[in-house]
Amino acid sequence: MEVVIVPDAKAGGELIAGAMAQLLLDKPTALLGVATGSTPLPIYQALAAQVAAGAVDVSRARIAQLDEYVGLPAEHPESYRSVLRREVLEPLGIGMDAFFGPDGTAEDVRGACEAYDRALAEAGGVDLQLLGIGTDGHIGFNEPCSSLASRTRIKTLTEQTRVDNARFFDGDIGQVPHHVITQGIGTILEARHLVLLATGEGKADAVAATVEGPVAAVCPASALQLHAHATVVVDEGAAAKLKHADYFRHTFVNKPAWQGI
Ligand code: GLP
């Protein structure tokens, strides 16, 4: 995988938005897999700025959701569908008709998961999947020890993830659902390009395990090592525990510009 160390979150956002813009130039109908959480916000802001400046055309782009809480009505402000509508679709001017996501309120959860995997495949697959990372190394909501071959399915959140996400629910862990639907690790690995952004020292251990640890289900993000085109973008804080940081810096500085990320 490629590791790019950037000075700060804003620079990471701009780098990744640039790659998305290039993809949209090459393929205007690209299916963009998007993630929630605080980390990707600078990406969405940078991309929205490019759209506002007329530098990128997203009129034919499509958006796919990574994961969703089970049991939160779609219109709940913290359902990931609502979050993505607010933070991605509306700022980019993309309508919900171009949106793909699992139904977190379905009675038949298993059927909803299978339907979502089918919908992604029928849409031609995800071209670029954005990922954040949990402090425990999760991607999407694939918690530690998730099968590296997993498909979209229901998962139970760890207590740590519920604590981490309580900030979106008035700091009240009691409001954080226990169950979620997440694209499986096998599903995620089918996207053509994986781009993980991690910022802040709180992610340093998870990033080191992802990049320099063994491929192991105990760190779900380490599955990125199996992907032919995976890019991990980290700020100095998140890079703090990387033993090969100097090599990653050297590689990026000397990279031919035409290669992109
Ligand atoms: C949630 C999401 C993940 C995200 C993670 C980290 O658990 N399901 O997709 O990567 O949070 O969030 P943050 O970027 O806010 O640290």
Side-chain angles (χ1 to χ4, degrees), residues 31 62 100 114-126 151 187 190 192:
L31 181 55
R62 299 164 302 151
F100 294 76
E114 289 171 3
Y116 188 47
D117 270 347
R118 258 196 322 274
L120 291 178
E122 281 164 11
V126 174
R151 312 299 307 170
T187 315
E190 284 171 4
R192 293 179 187 88

Side-chain angles (χ1 to χ4, degrees), residues 35-117:
T36 51
S38 315
T39 310
L41 296 179
I43 306 173
Y44 305 141
Q45 284 154 9
L47 190 60
Q50 293 208 32
V51 171
V56 190
D57 178 11
V58 289
S59 60
R60 296 168 65 202
R62 299 164 302 151
I63 302 288
Q65 187 173 358
L66 182 59
D67 47 13
E68 182 58 278
Y69 290 112
V70 167
L72 284 193
E75 58 279 9
H76 187 290
E78 294 308 326
S79 80
Y80 279 176
R81 184 176 294 248
S82 292
V83 170
L84 292 173
R85 187 190 297 135
R86 212 165 46 233
E87 289 169 355
V88 182
L89 289 129
E90 286 175 2
L92 295 180
I94 298 176
M96 288 306 279
D97 51 330
F99 181 78
F100 294 76
D103 179 0
T105 60
E107 268 185 34
D108 175 11
V109 176
R110 186 174 298 170
C113 293
E114 289 171 3
Y116 188 47
D117 270 347

Side-chain angles (χ1 to χ4, degrees), residues 35-40 66-67 80 131-134 138-141 161 165 167-168 203:
T36 51
S38 315
T39 310
L66 182 59
D67 47 13
Y80 279 176
L131 298 166
I133 187 167
H138 73 230
I139 47 174
F141 269 136
T161 299
N165 288 3
R167 68 188 194 279
F168 297 111
K203 300 290 173 71

